[in-house]
Amino acid sequence: MNKLIRYGTLAVFVGSGIGVAHADLSETKGGITIKTEDGRFEAKIGGRIHLDTNIPLDDDEDNIEEGIGEQKFDAFFRRARLSLEGKAYGWSYKFENDFAGQDEDSGSGFREMWIGTRMFDAFNVRFGQAKPYRAMEEMTSSNEILFMERPFISSGSFYGGRPQYILGVFVDNAYTTWGWGLAGYNLRNGEVTTTNAAGDETPNETDGMGGTGRVYFVPVLNDTAVLHLGFSASYENPSQGQAMTPSSARYSGRSGPSASWGDAATDEDVSSLNVELAGKYGPFYAQAEYATAEYAEATGVDTGEDDAKLNSYYIQASWLITGETKPYDIKRGSFKSPKPSAPTGAWELKARYDFIELEDVTPDREAETIAVGVNWYINPAVRLMVEYITGERKDHDGTDPFELDIISTRLQFAF
């Protein structure tokens, strides 16, 4: 069986165009990796499957009466990815496709897709599609995030209209106790055509340009304790009459209702600032972020105001009751999942409070989520997540709030 794995992966390695005559070493820890003895050529195959369910707890008649509509039990693949990454002749590459993210319009679920190298022995540079250096939780892999869904400070809500993976140039480096990253990118959404402000379909040659930077410091970094402090900022400017709008904020799970921020739409520019604070001590971990963004000359601003303001913050914490501790990745500036220390796996209790609000529009509105749950790390590849979520949306116009309680689960396999 080991020979079958080795020769099968070798065939993929050669077929990927690296041009290596033979590979002498193979590994199966943390994905399937093959490489030459001199280390000049390497390829690694990985993947992830996230199978989710959302179970609404509220009565449908109440939901309809409150204006959020009928909520149904939902089971779906949140992610189904295969990835290939490696290096050759001093250059590195990564290809990752999400089959659950494909649709009939784009025909592709590209996530990371880049070519990179080390320049002047001073920094790493990548050309292609990757994550811009935004929030700490945004930089955390979906295999490592504490809850099934990221907080509102993410591409899903706060950075809506600017995808989580963007085409551009990405430069970064990490040192013993700090790191940084800079990116310049196109705001293109990946579609062949797009619709401009007049409603006409046009070739999607560009949707404008943007840039982001992040720096983080880790004054305490050892196996027992970590203290992380980070800052990031971004500026983005659309073109060709394109409008940028924060995505609707799902406040009760992936399939639940959402709060719309459509009044913040702008064809001018968007600037944002973010502050990160996180740490761990033994089995205890906590992380918090605050972000604010201005949408210049937004369509729905109040009289006398030019900009719409979007503010968001969250705090989340966990306790590994089986005694493990979360590793910290200095290269990415984020925490990773623990490795179980016993055959029965690792158990983690978790909680999060999440808040977002849109100001200077009519009416102002906000949404919040409280979530608690448990993660069971069955082994390094398999994780079971169970969460209770209660969410609420408030429009500041005197109407009653919209509320929904759900239970969500995820069975995750990642290698």
Side-chain angles (χ1 to χ4, degrees):
M1 183 65 182
N2 289 336
K3 288 185 177 180
L4 180 61
I5 293 175
R6 178 173 177 173
Y7 294 140
T9 55
L10 177 59
V12 175
F13 179 63
V14 173
S16 66
I18 293 181
V20 125
H22 65 281
D24 301 304
L25 303 173
S26 64
E27 302 173 357
T28 57
K29 181 180 179 181
I32 303 173
T33 303
I34 56 174
K35 57 186 176 182
T36 57
E37 287 184 336
D38 60 11
R40 295 177 61 199
F41 304 94
E42 182 177 319
K44 178 180 178 180
I45 303 170
R48 69 192 69 178
I49 300 172
H50 295 179
L51 177 59
D52 291 7
T53 64
N54 287 328
I55 307 169
L57 300 180
D58 296 353
D59 184 84
D60 275 338
E61 290 186 5
D62 294 337
N63 293 335
I64 294 172
E65 183 177 337
E66 291 178 6
I68 63 175
E70 183 180 1
Q71 302 293 316
K72 297 181 179 180
F73 167 84
D74 197 11
F76 57 96
F77 287 103
R78 179 71 173 84
R79 299 175 182 90
R81 299 183 186 177
L82 280 177
S83 63
L84 175 66
E85 58 183 306
K87 61 183 180 180
Y89 299 106
W91 287 73
S92 56
Y93 66 90
K94 185 170 184 179
F95 164 82
E96 184 176 58
N97 192 77
D98 189 350
F99 297 94
Q102 291 185 185
D103 58 53
E104 58 186 15
D105 295 324
S106 65
S108 165
F110 284 172
R111 292 303 182 256
E112 290 194 67
M113 177 76 72
W114 49 259
I115 302 168
T117 190
R118 181 83 174 169
M119 297 193 70
F120 311 115
D121 200 30
F123 54 83
N124 307 303
V125 61
R126 294 173 294 161
F127 305 91
Q129 183 164 290
K131 288 183 178 182
Y133 307 97
R134 290 171 177 158
M136 183 180 189
E137 185 77 357
E138 188 82 348
M139 298 304 298
T140 304
S141 167
S142 61
N143 288 328
E144 317 283 355
I145 53 180
L146 183 64
F147 282 85
M148 291 171 53
E149 298 299 329
R150 302 180 196 273
F152 295 134
I153 299 179
S154 73
S155 62
S157 298
F158 199 82
Y159 297 99
R162 291 93 76 204
Q164 186 180 26
Y165 297 93
I166 288 182
L167 189 67
V169 180
F170 306 84
V171 183
D172 59 57
N173 203 13
Y175 308 92
T176 305
T177 59
W178 69 288
W180 58 271
L182 295 171
Y185 45 83
N186 191 315
L187 297 176
R188 180 172 178 171
N189 61 14
E191 302 293 340
V192 177
T193 61
T194 190
T195 303
N196 61 22
D200 300 323
E201 192 173 81
T202 60
N204 187 14
E205 297 176 357
T206 178
D207 280 339
M209 301 298 293
T212 186
R214 178 177 182 244
V215 60
Y216 53 92
F217 306 93
V218 196
V220 179
L221 179 58
N222 56 59
D223 292 340
T224 302
V226 171
L227 179 62
H228 168 107
L229 177 64
F231 307 90
S232 62
S234 67
Y235 177 82
E236 291 153 334
N237 193 313
S239 64
Q240 295 186 349
Q242 301 301 310
M244 293 193 296
T245 308
S247 296
S248 298
R250 296 184 178 96
Y251 54 87
S252 295
R254 185 72 180 180
S255 301
S258 60
S260 173
W261 313 125
D263 290 341
T266 179
D267 57 6
E268 294 295 327
D269 58 73
V270 180
S271 57
S272 66
L273 295 172
N274 177 280
V275 181
E276 315 162 0
L277 179 63
K280 74 166 187 179
Y281 186 78
F284 298 98
Y285 146 86
Q287 179 175 311
E289 294 187 79
Y290 171 80
T292 182
E294 289 192 356
Y295 286 72
E297 299 185 25
T299 57
V301 296
D302 289 335
T303 302
E305 297 288 344
D306 292 329
D307 305 333
K309 296 181 177 63
L310 190 65
N311 305 307
S312 184
Y313 62 86
Y314 73 91
I315 182 169
Q316 61 187 28
S318 76
W319 171 35
L320 284 154
I321 59 178
T322 45
E324 291 84 357
T325 187
K326 285 182 177 290
Y328 179 80
D329 185 353
I330 188 66
K331 293 183 179 180
R332 190 179 288 267
S334 63
F335 285 92
K336 302 174 68 176
S337 294
K339 297 296 186 290
S341 58
T344 53
W347 289 83
E348 181 178 36
L349 301 179
K350 59 185 182 179
R352 174 195 283 169
Y353 176 76
D354 198 8
F355 177 84
I356 189 169
E357 64 177 348
L358 181 63
E359 297 180 335
D360 299 327
V361 300
T362 304
D364 291 357
R365 64 188 64 95
E366 65 184 52
E368 65 178 2
T369 294
I370 298 174
V372 295
V374 60
N375 293 334
W376 179 23
Y377 302 88
I378 300 172
N379 57 51
V382 181
R383 174 170 67 162
L384 177 64
M385 310 171 75
V386 180
E387 302 169 6
Y388 167 76
I389 303 168
T390 179
E392 182 179 78
R393 166 192 165 187
K394 296 179 182 178
D395 292 352
H396 297 172
D397 58 0
T399 60
D400 293 333
F402 305 87
E403 301 175 347
L404 182 67
D405 297 348
I406 67 167
I407 291 177
S408 294
T409 71
R410 170 175 293 166
L411 181 60
Q412 170 181 310
F413 182 86
F415 67 95

